[in-house]
Amino acid sequence: MAKIAVLGYGTVGSGVAEVLDVNGACVEDSAGEKIEIKYILDLRDFPGDKHESQVVHDFDVILNDPEIEVVCETMGGIEPAFTFEKKALESGKSVCTSNKELVAAHGPELVELAKKNNVSYLFEASVGGGIPVLRSMNDSIRHERLDSITGILNGTTNYILTKMDQEGADFDAVLKVAQDKGYAERNPEADIEGHDACRKTAILASIMSGQFVKHDDIYTEGITKITGEDFEYARELNMAIKLLGSCKREDGKFFAMVAPFLIPFDNSLSMVNGVFNAIDVHGNMLGDVMYYGKGAGKKATASAVVADVIDIVRHKGKHIDWNLRNVPAEVAPINDDIRNFFVRCDASAETGAKELFGDVKQVKSDKVSGEFAFITPEMTEKDFKEKYEKLRGVRSYLRLL
Ligand code: HSE
């Protein structure tokens, strides 16, 4: 019997208890022994809850109990989660977490600390909710030289964009539904401004590069400027609009960014709708492999946390290593990145747009008037930015994948 503690009895923490309750026999079969929650740390009490008697309010109770082998940190945020995780690892307990904010900020350091103490630090649930992408990268495709990762990494924004596209829904109303469904962050700005996708991109980029990619080094745009008219044009182009997190090696440089993109319908990422996430990983020998599944929500995320607990129990007495060193990765500025851009400007700006951008391809929509919309030739981000700033009457732009 392996005894574990869960820190935080919110959406994910209570989900971990539910997964262990409902799938106890399968979990035991997978881990080779029964897994039992001994403690749940929370500031609140939960009278009437099935796990009421396991609730404690003092982390030291967990820390000082030698029976606890695994601590699941599902509190979120940097502190006190960071202190609790460090103390647990230092006292010889393995840690698994869904806390992407903390993993993005301190993951490599915590992996090193786990190694030093011959325990494990796993964080499958921090990227892609229930999708087993990190374990696969660390195990099944670890021998590949990864060239690029492109993913839809935030369920809330994908849910919002899908509803705006398919139902013409209002941004704020859809965000409220995503919050009610338990997809959104406490502060939804983290979702809609792209910060959550940026942290997940930083985690993926760190594992891809084997070095610490800091989220502050990743250029990030959210989805707040996307309008119904953008979807009208996207339909004309046979494209979808998705918030993508991506990183790639190119010409000896490592690029990473988060931004909304127009994606052609023949690219599988364009078909990923609702709360689902998908991550396309390109290996030098393997080619593309796509991971797809529910990217947010209680049960899917909790299932990934439980998968980590099982992995740890199966590797008792061993450190599960990552190809990840705590040294800063060099992320290139996006200036030299090359692509096409979709631009909307006032109809009166057509001549100016053609003069500035050269051979543009006009995009027309019956549903939008008074505008000149076009796709630029391939150009660097730097070149685009300079020209876009010079164009009078500009309204908005999107990148093309
Ligand atoms: N707010 C996050 C999302 C939760 O919508 O993807 C899962 O990390």
Side-chain angles (χ1 to χ4, degrees):
M1 162 98 69
K3 302 218 172 172
I4 70 167
V6 176
L7 313 186
Y9 202 47
T11 305
V12 183
S14 61
V16 170
E18 188 177 336
V19 173
L20 291 172
D21 289 342
V22 175
N23 279 14
C26 304
V27 169
E28 182 175 347
D29 175 62
S30 181
E33 61 185 292
K34 197 168 159 46
I35 293 175
E36 188 183 273
I37 296 179
K38 184 166 181 183
Y39 302 113
I40 292 169
L41 182 77
D42 205 287
L43 292 170
R44 303 160 291 179
D45 286 308
F46 296 88
D49 188 278
K50 185 176 176 189
H51 294 277
E52 175 184 8
S53 63
Q54 287 139 333
V55 175
V56 294
H57 304 299
D58 180 1
F59 178 65
D60 285 345
V61 173
I62 295 165
L63 197 63
N64 296 328
D65 186 337
E67 267 195 341
I68 297 297
E69 297 175 46
V70 188
V71 171
C72 302
E73 189 272 291
T74 55
M75 305 165 66
I78 301 292
E79 284 295 354
F82 185 36
T83 302
F84 290 169
E85 289 193 4
K86 276 196 293 192
K87 284 187 175 176
L89 293 169
E90 280 161 354
S91 70
K93 300 181 193 307
S94 288
V95 172
C96 54
T97 185
S98 55
N99 189 339
K100 54 247 164 136
E101 199 179 339
L102 182 54
V103 176
H106 296 287
E109 172 187 344
L110 290 161
V111 168
E112 272 190 358
L113 188 60
K115 185 172 187 181
K116 199 169 139 206
N117 290 281
N118 197 37
V119 288
S120 297
Y121 185 64
L122 302 183
F123 38 91
E124 182 64 74
S126 67
V127 178
I131 305 172
V133 58
L134 299 185
R135 181 164 296 104
S136 173
M137 284 173 70
N138 199 39
D139 185 0
S140 317
I141 60 168
R142 187 166 170 158
H143 60 288
E144 285 286 320
R145 182 185 153 83
L146 302 183
D147 306 316
S148 68
I149 300 178
T150 311
I152 293 170
L153 300 170
N154 182 271
T156 301
T157 47
N158 205 48
Y159 184 81
I160 292 172
L161 292 173
T162 303
K163 292 281 178 190
M164 284 176 78
D165 184 14
Q166 295 179 350
E167 298 168 19
D170 171 69
F171 190 99
D172 292 326
V174 193
L175 174 61
K176 173 81 176 55
V177 179
Q179 284 172 313
D180 292 346
K181 285 178 177 279
Y183 303 156
E185 298 303 301
R186 252 171 278 179
N187 172 7
E189 255 189 37
D191 295 302
I192 61 181
E193 297 294 356
H195 306 312
D196 179 73
C198 171
R199 290 184 188 117
K200 292 164 177 169
T201 302
I203 296 168
L204 288 167
S206 296
I207 294 168
M208 173 174 162
S209 66
Q211 298 182 333
F212 184 14
V213 175
K214 298 203 172 107
H215 60 88
D216 287 345
D217 291 342
I218 299 179
Y219 176 87
T220 299
E221 284 178 22
I223 64 160
T224 50
K225 294 187 187 126
I226 309 285
T227 63
E229 284 83 12
D230 290 319
F231 287 104
E232 297 298 345
Y233 285 117
R235 272 188 279 278
E236 295 299 327
L237 288 163
N238 289 322
M239 291 186 183
I241 302 172
K242 302 285 177 193
L243 182 69
L244 296 182
S246 62
C247 51
K248 63 180 176 185
R249 294 178 217 271
E250 219 167 68
D251 303 328
K253 290 184 188 153
F254 192 84
F255 293 99
M257 77 181 300
V258 172
F261 274 77
L262 280 158
I263 308 175
F265 284 156
D266 61 7
N267 182 315
S268 307
L269 287 170
S270 74
M271 292 171 235
V272 176
N273 289 322
V275 72
F276 282 84
N277 284 189
I279 302 137
D280 181 290
V281 180
H282 190 275
N284 64 333
M285 295 292 128
L286 176 68
D288 286 295
V289 60
M290 175 88 91
Y291 301 86
Y292 172 84
K294 231 180 156 194
K298 176 175 170 165
K299 286 193 260 188
T301 311
S303 178
V305 176
V306 171
D308 280 348
V309 176
I310 291 169
D311 206 3
I312 288 166
V313 170
R314 286 163 81 166
H315 291 89
K316 260 188 204 184
K318 286 191 193 136
H319 166 70
I320 300 170
D321 78 317
W322 291 93
N323 176 22
L324 178 58
R325 289 182 305 131
N326 189 20
V327 293
E330 202 173 311
V331 180
I334 62 167
N335 283 349
D336 301 336
D337 213 355
I338 296 175
R339 54 176 53 89
N340 301 97
F341 296 81
F342 166 73
V343 181
R344 289 170 57 196
C345 56
D346 296 343
S348 58
E350 178 172 347
T351 310
K354 286 176 176 164
E355 276 169 16
L356 271 169
F357 288 95
D359 192 14
V360 301
K361 182 180 152 219
Q362 186 174 3
V363 185
K364 290 185 180 161
S365 166
D366 292 345
K367 309 251 171 65
V368 190
S369 57
E371 290 193 3
F372 178 65
F374 62 94
I375 292 178
T376 69
E378 279 197 339
M379 59 203 306
T380 63
E381 288 270 351
K382 183 167 182 280
D383 196 16
F384 173 74
K385 197 166 170 245
E386 283 168 6
K387 293 191 160 114
Y388 185 81
E389 277 167 7
K390 280 190 197 145
L391 182 60
R392 296 201 175 177
V394 280
R395 297 193 174 185
S396 63
Y397 72 91
L398 280 167
R399 295 174 174 84
L400 268 70
L401 189 64

